[in-house]
Amino acid sequence: MTVLALEIGSSSFAATKVADDVDTDDIRRIPIPATGAWDRCQELLLEVAGGDQVTALGIASAGPIDMAAGVIAPGDVPEWRAGFGIVRAAQKLFPEAQVPLALDGVCLALAERSFGATSGVMDSLAIGVSDRITGGIVVGGFTLVGRTGNAGHVGHVLVPGFDDRCSCGGRGCLEAVAGGLAVVRWAREQGWAGTSVPELLDAARVGEDIPAAALGRAGTALGRAIASVAALLDIDLVVLGGSLAGAGPVLWKPLGEAVATHARLSFLPGLRVIPSQLGDVATVLGAGVLALVGRNA
């Protein structure tokens, strides 16, 4: 009997078998195709399953989602923006399988609570900062999913002092300032010639002014958003992962300064923001946790 995990991310699909000894080499990842998204996704799943009978498939998807209906509408998969019934499609592929679906940020929180830095606390926030920004909330030991399954969309918390236009149609969202795509876009608008997050991180590390400034404003925005969410939820631990989390002091120093400036209520002085140790596999690991919980429910 085989349990699978699937991540629908902002730039790729990732899948793996769920096992005690799984490591990063066992996770298969493919770019999101321009067309034929489900065809490529099911090919990936069948390859990972390897002919085994699949009894559970946990799906972590970028939002928005409709968890009850089993429908996802990730903005970075053009064919699915109007909604795709991924749970029904997966059940056709694996008729014997239970197929629980959750937001990618929910699965991020599940992974941090099961394998990462939040395992010893009851209340926490996990944030992933890569091309987009994801978030997952744990309160009282329970991972919040919300009315439609979209709780944790911290990337769309409004950040005071910023008015950048967001892909959601609003302005001043955290993702519009601190998401990797937004950071690169802002740097290019200031005259930087690079085109990708890895290039920008490398340039900032060697002291290029514009990339450093782009990451600095991202850090400030993250710190302000974290202080606001911590006050709302009464949490004292935030775990930050994703590609931008590895930027070093150029991001973390302004982040810490913003937290110190704004987290001033009497219950917030102990607020900690720490880097995740799970790397870029956290979300698919959380999808595996989701699959196991769903199978055993």
Side-chain angles (χ1 to χ4, degrees):
M1 304 297 182
T2 294
V3 176
L4 301 184
L6 172 66
E7 175 191 354
I8 307 296
S10 61
S11 61
S12 66
F13 300 150
T16 188
K17 286 184 178 178
V18 178
D20 291 338
D21 58 351
V22 68
D23 61 35
T24 55
D25 292 335
D26 299 317
I27 298 172
R28 287 276 293 110
R29 194 177 294 272
I30 61 171
I32 293 174
T35 60
W38 177 244
D39 289 340
R40 290 292 292 119
C41 190
Q42 67 179 348
E43 288 171 7
L44 172 65
L45 289 169
L46 290 170
E47 177 187 338
V48 171
D52 294 349
Q53 181 182 358
V54 176
T55 58
L57 166 63
I59 302 175
S61 177
I65 70 170
D66 184 332
M67 190 170 64
V71 173
I72 64 175
D76 293 304
V77 186
E79 293 175 295
W80 296 350
R81 286 174 186 158
F84 175 66
I86 194 167
V87 169
R88 179 174 296 180
Q91 287 171 334
K92 288 182 179 179
L93 183 63
F94 301 121
E96 305 300 319
Q98 295 184 24
V99 186
L101 165 69
L103 191 70
D104 51 3
V106 168
C107 290
L108 182 66
L110 287 173
E112 288 291 350
R113 185 155 174 77
S114 298
F115 312 112
T118 68
S119 60
V121 300
M122 297 293 286
D123 306 281
S124 63
L125 171 65
I127 302 177
V129 188
S130 295
D131 287 349
R132 307 288 187 190
I133 294 180
T134 60
I137 301 163
V138 176
V139 174
F142 294 95
T143 304
L144 301 187
V145 296
R147 177 178 55 88
T148 62
N150 287 287
H153 260 95
V154 69
H156 297 280
V157 169
L158 299 182
V159 184
F162 295 95
D163 195 43
D164 304 53
R165 182 170 292 281
C166 184
S167 60
C168 74
R171 305 188 74 95
C173 297
L174 176 62
E175 185 173 284
V177 183
L181 296 176
V183 171
V184 169
R185 181 176 63 249
W186 185 87
R188 288 181 57 79
E189 289 171 353
Q190 311 311 307
W192 182 62
T195 59
S196 70
V197 170
E199 287 179 87
L200 184 133
L201 293 175
D202 288 342
R205 289 186 186 107
V206 298
E208 290 190 30
D209 290 341
I210 292 174
L215 290 167
R217 74 193 297 269
T220 296
L222 280 163
R224 290 177 183 176
I226 286 168
S228 295
V229 175
L232 176 67
L233 299 177
D234 191 11
I235 59 175
D236 66 355
L237 178 62
V238 179
V239 180
L240 189 67
S243 57
L244 261 69
V250 70
L251 177 93
W252 284 87
K253 186 173 185 292
L255 187 160
E257 291 171 348
V259 168
T261 298
H262 297 287
R264 305 299 293 270
L265 290 168
S266 60
F267 59 90
L268 291 178
L271 176 61
R272 295 174 292 147
V273 185
I274 63 174
S276 172
Q277 302 300 314
L278 298 182
D280 62 0
V281 302
T283 302
V284 73
L285 290 178
V289 175
L290 183 71
L292 292 174
V293 170
R295 187 183 65 170
N296 295 328

